[in-house]
């Protein structure tokens, strides 16, 4: 499934295997669910959210937010006051100057995997560099992701 919109207060949503959702505009929103789903937005106050294995969420704009859940998911933001949130197992997040990341870590040596750490940081603090991809260790430390 594919969904795309452009314009003021635009919204876009999809559901399904390898679904894609994209929107551009002031107050734009994009959401998608599915295996390797992708959601992307651009614009002031844009928001992007995905759920699913290997899902990716990316947004650009002032006050933009990106959130993703699911194993091996990635969240990325560009823009001041933007936050990238990735809370699935083995998830990663990237933010740029003026932004922040928020990550979760799980102990996968038990079943079901157990949440053991959650941590957030502004870019420029706690060793977080702009434009680099990070994950959270089970010890609650940020580490660069390849």
């Amino acid at each position: 499934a594919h969904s795309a919109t452009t314009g003021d207060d635009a919204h876009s949503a999809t559901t399904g295997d390898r679904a894609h959702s994209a929107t551009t505009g002031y107050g734009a929103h994009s959401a998608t669910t599915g295996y390797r789903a992708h959601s992307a937005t651009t614009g002031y106050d844009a928001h992007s959210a995905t759920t699913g294995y290997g899902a990716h969420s990316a947004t650009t704009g002032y006050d933009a937010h990106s959130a993703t859940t699911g194993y091996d998911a990635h969240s990325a933001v560009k823009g001041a006051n933007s936050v990238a949130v990735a809370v699935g197992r083995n998830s990663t997040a990237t933010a740029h100057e003026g932004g922040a990341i928020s990550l979760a870590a799980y102990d996968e040596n038990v079943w079901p995997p157990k949440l053991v750490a959650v941590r957030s940081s502004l870019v420029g603090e706690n060793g977080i560099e702009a434009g680099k991809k990070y994950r959270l260790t089970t010890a609650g430390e940020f580490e660069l992701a390849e």
Side-chain angles (χ1 to χ4, degrees):
H2 304 279
S3 175
T5 65
T6 299
D8 186 63
D9 288 324
H11 304 278
S12 176
T14 66
T15 298
D17 183 56
R18 296 180 191 226
H20 303 279
S21 175
T23 186
T24 300
Y26 176 83
H29 303 276
S30 175
T32 187
T33 300
Y35 178 82
R36 298 214 185 274
H38 301 280
S39 174
T41 64
T42 300
Y44 177 84
D45 209 18
H47 302 281
S48 174
T50 63
T51 299
Y53 179 92
H56 300 279
S57 175
T59 185
T60 300
Y62 184 83
D63 283 340
H65 302 286
S66 171
T68 186
T69 64
Y71 184 83
D72 215 19
H74 181 69
S75 177
V77 295
K78 284 186 180 179
N81 301 320
S82 300
V83 181
V85 179
V87 293
R89 293 178 12 233
N90 200 42
S91 293
T92 57
T94 302
H96 289 267
E97 199 64 41
I101 62 172
S102 186
L103 293 162
Y106 298 81
D107 179 356
E108 296 196 44
N109 294 317
V110 297
W111 187 256
K114 179 183 175 186
L115 177 67
V116 294
V118 176
R119 188 170 180 196
S120 299
S121 181
L122 296 169
V123 171
E125 296 181 5
N126 302 303
I128 302 301
E129 296 180 45
K132 296 199 176 175
K133 187 188 296 188
Y134 291 90
R135 76 171 39 92
L136 194 64
T137 68
T138 56
E141 298 297 324
F142 293 114
E143 71 176 4
L144 277 173
E146 297 299 318

